[in-house]
Amino acid sequence: MTKNLLIKRELKDWLEFLIRNIPGRIGYYCRNKYYKIRLKNILNSNRFESGLRIECPRNVSIGSSSYFGLDCKIYASEFSEINIGSNVTFNSNVMINARGSGKIHIGNNVLIGPNSVLRSNNHSFDNKDIPITKQGMKEGSIFIEDDVWISSNSVILPNCRIGKGAIIAAGAVVTNNVESYAIVGGIPAKLLRNRDYKN
């Protein structure tokens, strides 16, 4: 890596640190302007609270009227893709992680509670004679349909599709597909009931 490239990277890191941490309305304004230039695609009226971190923004698309709470993290890479719809709410400290060559799609009108994690890849561990840190990753995808509520402290693991109108209970770990309008909870997440159920 050349010295000029190292200097450019260092300057970019400093610029993003400053933009990430500007408080108040000036911060919202600066982050909106910056990400309009850097993201693959972004529509209007999004609100980015301070602490937002987006890696490889050229592979991230965001619709309109979405809210990103304090300290959210969106991790894409050269070979991955993250698509976020419109009117999506990310509470504080949500992590969307598609490092490697994974893909994450989040539909419209989705609610994601604080401290939740969506991770499209997972560590390989098949060979017990090799340290897990040296076995690489298994890539996958996550697809979240419209009108889904993912409650706080939930984890969505690779190769899961969450159907329209589903609810993920707080603290759930989702390892399989979730049907539309289902309510799931637990570790691993299991069906609790359907939303059309009447007491």
Side-chain angles (χ1 to χ4, degrees):
M1 188 176 296
T2 67
K3 187 176 180 182
N4 285 342
L5 188 55
L6 283 170
I7 291 169
K8 281 183 181 177
R9 278 204 178 162
E10 186 76 11
L11 290 172
K12 179 188 75 70
D13 288 346
W14 274 100
L15 175 63
E16 289 186 351
F17 174 81
L18 292 171
I19 289 171
R20 188 161 57 237
N21 291 292
I22 298 170
R25 293 186 182 190
I26 293 172
Y28 304 145
Y29 177 82
C30 291
R31 286 185 284 277
N32 263 303
K33 290 294 182 186
Y34 181 74
Y35 286 121
K36 271 189 181 285
I37 297 166
R38 298 279 289 136
L39 290 170
K40 179 180 179 181
N41 185 39
I42 184 171
L43 300 180
N44 295 322
S45 304
N46 293 293
R47 180 168 166 173
F48 303 110
E49 295 285 355
S50 62
L52 174 70
R53 184 182 189 102
I54 301 178
E55 285 187 6
C56 203
R58 64 185 165 276
N59 287 339
V60 177
S61 297
I62 299 174
S64 64
S65 304
S66 289
Y67 172 80
F68 296 79
L70 292 167
D71 299 318
C72 286
K73 297 161 188 73
I74 300 173
Y75 297 134
S77 74
E78 294 289 336
F79 308 106
S80 67
E81 184 180 330
I82 296 175
N83 296 309
I84 297 167
S86 295
N87 197 35
V88 178
T89 298
F90 294 81
N91 214 304
S92 59
N93 201 38
V94 170
M95 179 194 288
I96 309 299
N97 190 332
R99 285 179 172 142
S101 60
K103 181 175 181 180
I104 295 177
H105 171 89
I106 299 171
N108 301 318
N109 303 305
V110 172
L111 298 167
I112 304 179
N115 307 312
S116 293
V117 175
L118 283 71
R119 187 176 171 103
S120 64
N121 302 331
N122 219 338
H123 294 282
S124 297
F125 55 87
D126 296 331
N127 190 337
K128 65 183 179 184
D129 298 321
I130 299 173
I132 293 170
T133 57
K134 297 186 183 298
Q135 293 192 45
M137 305 288 287
K138 292 180 180 175
E139 277 103 17
S141 62
I142 293 172
F143 194 96
I144 307 217
E145 296 186 22
D146 297 344
D147 190 31
V148 168
W149 175 18
I150 299 171
S151 302
S152 60
N153 300 299
S154 296
V155 177
I156 314 297
L157 292 177
N159 300 316
C160 291
R161 185 181 190 101
I162 299 180
K164 181 177 180 180
I167 297 173
I168 311 302
V173 177
V174 178
T175 59
N176 290 298
N177 293 343
V178 175
E179 296 293 325
S180 295
Y181 303 105
I183 301 174
V184 301
I187 303 174
K190 291 184 170 27
L191 179 67
L192 302 177
R193 66 177 178 88
N194 291 305
R195 284 180 62 189
D196 58 2
Y197 174 82
K198 305 292 184 197
N199 288 328

